[in-house]
Every structure is written in C-alpha cells, then in structure tokens.
Amino acid sequence: QVQLVESGGGLVQAGGSLRLSCAASGSIFSINAMGWYRQTPGKQRELVASITSGGSRNYADSVKGRFTISRDNAKNTVYLQMNSLRPEDTAVYYCNADITRAWSTRTNAYWGQGTQVTVSS
C-alpha cells in the first residue's frame, strides 16, 4: 500500500508564490523519478517538472525560471516551489512518483489526489 499525499495548494494573487509538497508513504523500497503534472478542464494533463533520484531536473518551458522542483529522499517527499505565478498557472496539480514497493521488483507510477492552485489577476 502506497499513498502520495499532496499539500500546499490554494489561492494566490498573480506574482505571488506557493509551495507544493507531496509525501509518499507505505511499504516503499525505493523511489525513482518524481514529478508534478497539472490539468485544467478540457485539457490533457501536462508535465510541469520532474526530478530523478539523482537530482536531474526537467521543466516545461512555460515554468522554467519560475518553478523549482526538489526532493528529500530521506522523507520520500518532492516539492514544487512556484514563484511569479500567473493566472495561466491555474490548474489542479498532481504529484507523480515511480515507486518500487517493499518485497517487490516491480516499479509502478503512483499519483497523488491532486491539489487546486488558483492564481487571480
């Protein structure tokens, strides 16, 4: 049993900042890549940022220079620091992690429940 619990979403004014957290818990052996996706009504879920277990980062062009992804491997937690927020950043943000469970050799993708981020103009 593995769960990803997200926190930190909310309402913020344009130009403001928000920090999202996602903590994985359960019978976890290891976590490989982790990332953040976002989705708005009528659109596909898109990758915002990802980070490997070794710390290599990848960002969508739309957030590069404004968002920073990081992780704390000891806490099985990934963060997304969002600065200079824009109304177009408004979306439901989902945490993703590739996890190998304890007693298993299989690696699967797990998703958080989603957290709403709303940026007002």
Side-chain angles (χ1 to χ4, degrees):
Q1 297 182 4
V2 173
Q3 304 90 36
L4 300 182
V5 179
E6 302 174 3
S7 62
L11 175 64
V12 65
Q13 294 182 358
S17 298
L18 213 56
R19 191 191 194 200
L20 305 183
S21 299
C22 175
S25 62
S27 300
I28 297 171
F29 176 74
S30 65
I31 302 178
N32 295 323
M34 306 184 80
W36 291 93
Y37 290 72
R38 65 187 182 188
Q39 187 171 24
T40 56
K43 297 182 179 180
Q44 284 190 308
R45 191 172 298 182
E46 66 172 350
L47 176 68
V48 177
S50 64
I51 183 169
T52 68
S53 59
S56 296
R57 297 169 172 84
N58 185 48
Y59 297 95
D61 289 340
S62 60
V63 307
K64 195 171 297 182
R66 300 187 297 121
F67 291 10
T68 302
I69 188 171
S70 61
R71 64 190 288 170
D72 185 335
N73 291 332
K75 298 182 182 296
N76 291 334
T77 300
V78 63
Y79 307 92
L80 186 67
Q81 178 67 46
M82 303 183 292
N83 298 327
S84 302
L85 283 163
R86 306 165 180 170
E88 50 264 42
D89 294 319
T90 296
V92 178
Y93 284 70
Y94 296 90
C95 174
N96 167 262
D98 295 329
I99 296 174
T100 302
R101 294 196 295 174
W103 317 112
S104 177
T105 60
R106 295 164 294 188
T107 300
N108 298 104
Y110 292 84
W111 293 89
Q113 78 282 1
T115 184
Q116 177 71 47
V117 172
T118 302
V119 184
S120 62
S121 60

